Amino acid sequence: MPVNPWLALTPGDDPAERIRQVGRAHERFINGAPADRMRSVVAESWARSAAWIGADSTAPIDLCDDELEAYRAAHPLARVMPLFRDLLGGLAEDGDHILAVCDAHGRLLWVEGNAGTLRGAASMNFVPGARWDEAHAGTNAPGTALAVDHALQIFATEHFSRPVQRWTCTAAPIHDPGTGRLLGAIDVTGGDHLANPHSLALVRATALAAEACLREPPRAAEGPMVTALGRDDALVTSGNIRTRLGRRHSELLILLTTHPEGRTADQLGFDLYGDDLNPVTVRAEMSRLRRILGPELLESRPYRLKRPIKTDITTMSDLLDQGRTHEALAHYPGPLLPGSDAPGIVRLRRLLDDRLRAAILTSADRRILQTWLTTPHGADDLELWEAYAALAPHDPVAGRRVAELAREYACNVPATYA
């Protein structure tokens, strides 16, 4: 038996043999025998479950559609969903795992992962709105974690309900840090390989991180902020939560922030892939982005943001509109998503850079020009070096740099600098 009673297996256990042993014990228990040679947490859960349901029961649906949307939008755990996705979303996206969050009554509020894995889970009603406490679904990680108020694993045939026994899950309860009230549980569900100490530690650490986040007062509700200048992946900051997006999701979000009227799948496909547009791929990526950011932020037909989102792009553009070139330059750490080759992003990047350079050039301010030229993206800017040299005719560094760049670009070197 495991040294840690909350772990399903000990190192060296044969998972297949353990499944057979527990499966035989389960059948004996269903036929009236005691649950011998079982972890006490599982045996006690089987006893509770048997008082409520049969071994072939399926979890019922408690909430659906608009009622579900309204309930989970108002639930305290909605605030930490970006954190869950950031810490555990990678597991859910790899195709073998599902990320699930339930309330204190075992109602699943969010169930996310690869579409194929989600279809398999749906066959046992492991879907948003379903009731997965022990009284309705029997022994399972989120339901039993709520019942015993402790992080744990439930392995394969340890599940009381037979339709669930091909899955293994790890869950941890989450509490309101101010009152200690049980809010719900975070769960990762997948194959037998989840029955290891690392998955239990990861889920437990995620629950603790969520409680720490909930302990901090939320920031003023100003909406999310997107940072995409000078970095290859956009960063979304919402209150105390920071979510780093992948490249495609970064590109899509930036495109939507710059097209508030919305974009069709075809338009976004052209923005991302040019003539090789693929609307099906765009729709799949938008579906994943909606799961990351939440349905309250994105809508379709056309794809657009339900409310404006602040970005570092708009901050810099607003400063340029106001003629505050020096401040705009201070807010410019580098080009927009510099690693992206998506045509729509390349176009936005060029327009933004050209606008900033034009403002610097027309400022005729030696200090602003010098600031630009000392940055990595301004160091080789011949036109602005020439403008600076004209304002500082006795600066030998400027003259040499103009001559070097002119030769490098195969330009005619002005006689003054030759």
Side-chain angles (χ1 to χ4, degrees):
M1 297 297 291
V3 175
N4 182 340
W6 311 107
L7 284 172
L9 300 176
T10 56
D13 280 351
D14 180 349
E17 178 57 29
R18 185 65 184 152
I19 288 172
R20 286 191 292 270
Q21 290 175 356
V22 176
R24 289 193 293 268
H26 182 268
E27 290 306 313
R28 290 194 299 270
F29 176 80
I30 296 303
N31 290 311
D36 56 350
R37 301 185 63 188
M38 296 296 302
R39 288 191 291 157
S40 60
V41 66
V42 174
E44 292 164 6
S45 177
W46 281 2
R48 291 191 299 269
S49 301
W52 291 99
I53 64 170
D56 293 307
S57 296
T58 301
I61 303 294
D62 233 24
L63 297 169
C64 57
D65 301 330
D66 293 344
E67 186 181 12
L68 171 62
E69 288 291 335
Y71 179 76
R72 65 182 179 183
H75 196 276
L77 292 181
R79 182 178 156 198
V80 289
M81 274 308 297
L83 175 69
F84 293 150
R85 293 180 180 117
D86 192 31
L87 296 180
L88 298 176
L91 286 175
E93 290 294 333
D94 71 3
D96 294 327
H97 304 86
I98 293 170
L99 165 65
V101 177
C102 69
D103 70 3
H105 304 289
R107 288 177 292 209
L108 297 178
L109 303 182
W110 292 273
V111 181
E112 300 179 356
N114 175 273
T117 310
L118 289 175
R119 283 193 295 271
S123 66
M124 60 176 182
N125 265 7
F126 198 76
V127 294
R131 187 78 176 264
W132 276 76
D133 59 333
E134 288 185 338
H136 293 85
T139 305
N140 68 91
T144 304
L146 293 174
V148 301
D149 199 12
H150 201 286
L152 51 72
Q153 294 174 334
I154 298 296
F155 173 65
T157 44
E158 290 182 335
H159 288 91
F160 182 77
S161 176
R162 291 189 185 97
V164 191
Q165 290 183 345
R166 72 183 184 91
W167 299 87
T168 291
C169 43
T170 300
I174 304 166
H175 304 84
D176 183 312
T179 65
R181 178 172 63 94
L182 189 62
L183 296 177
I186 176 74
D187 168 78
V188 174
T189 290
D192 299 343
H193 55 283
L194 269 179
N196 64 72
H198 304 295
S199 66
L200 183 62
L202 177 59
V203 172
R204 176 61 179 146
T206 301
L208 290 174
E211 292 176 354
C213 181
L214 290 169
R215 186 175 294 113
E216 300 178 14
R219 297 177 184 175
E222 297 179 350
M225 171 71 185
V226 180
T227 306
L229 293 176
R231 50 183 302 131
D232 289 328
D233 45 9
L235 183 69
V236 182
T237 303
S238 181
N240 300 310
I241 303 296
R242 297 171 49 153
T243 303
R244 190 178 67 240
L245 301 180
R247 190 187 72 172
R248 278 294 179 230
H249 293 157
S250 298
E251 293 165 344
L252 283 166
L253 183 55
I254 291 301
L255 289 167
L256 292 176
T257 63
T258 54
H259 292 91
E261 74 284 359
R263 303 289 274 173
T264 66
D266 284 343
Q267 289 172 324
L268 286 173
F270 185 79
D271 288 336
L272 290 179
Y273 307 107
D275 292 333
D276 297 324
L277 65 92
N278 187 337
V280 175
T281 301
V282 170
R283 293 187 187 99
E285 293 292 355
M286 285 300 301
S287 178
R288 296 186 186 102
L289 182 59
R290 183 181 288 108
R291 290 201 298 270
I292 294 170
L293 298 180
E296 65 279 359
L297 193 58
L298 290 175
E299 64 181 32
S300 55
R301 298 180 185 175
Y303 293 112
R304 67 183 185 90
L305 298 169
K306 292 185 178 179
R307 61 180 185 272
I309 294 181
K310 289 185 178 180
T311 70
D312 52 354
I313 302 169
T314 54
T315 298
M316 200 188 85
S317 296
D318 290 345
L319 290 169
L320 291 174
D321 288 341
Q322 298 164 25
R324 297 157 65 183
T325 305
H326 194 271
E327 292 176 66
L329 183 54
H331 281 78
Y332 182 80
L336 170 66
L337 300 177
S340 172
D341 58 1
I345 297 298
V346 171
R347 182 170 60 255
L348 288 171
R349 182 193 305 143
R350 186 180 64 250
L351 291 172
L352 191 65
D353 289 354
D354 287 350
R355 188 177 176 207
L356 177 61
R357 288 184 67 258
I360 294 170
L361 186 61
T362 57
S363 73
D365 185 312
R366 177 174 170 173
R367 183 170 55 104
I368 293 176
L369 281 162
Q370 193 172 37
T371 299
W372 172 257
L373 296 172
T374 56
T375 65
H377 28 277
D380 297 331
D381 194 328
L382 174 57
E383 184 179 15
L384 268 67
W385 268 112
E386 289 175 337
Y388 176 71
L391 294 173
H394 302 298
D395 185 335
V397 174
R400 284 198 302 272
R401 190 62 182 146
V402 169
E404 289 169 359
L405 291 174
R407 282 192 291 270
E408 184 176 335
Y409 299 150
C411 301
N412 293 322
V413 181
T416 307
Y417 312 121

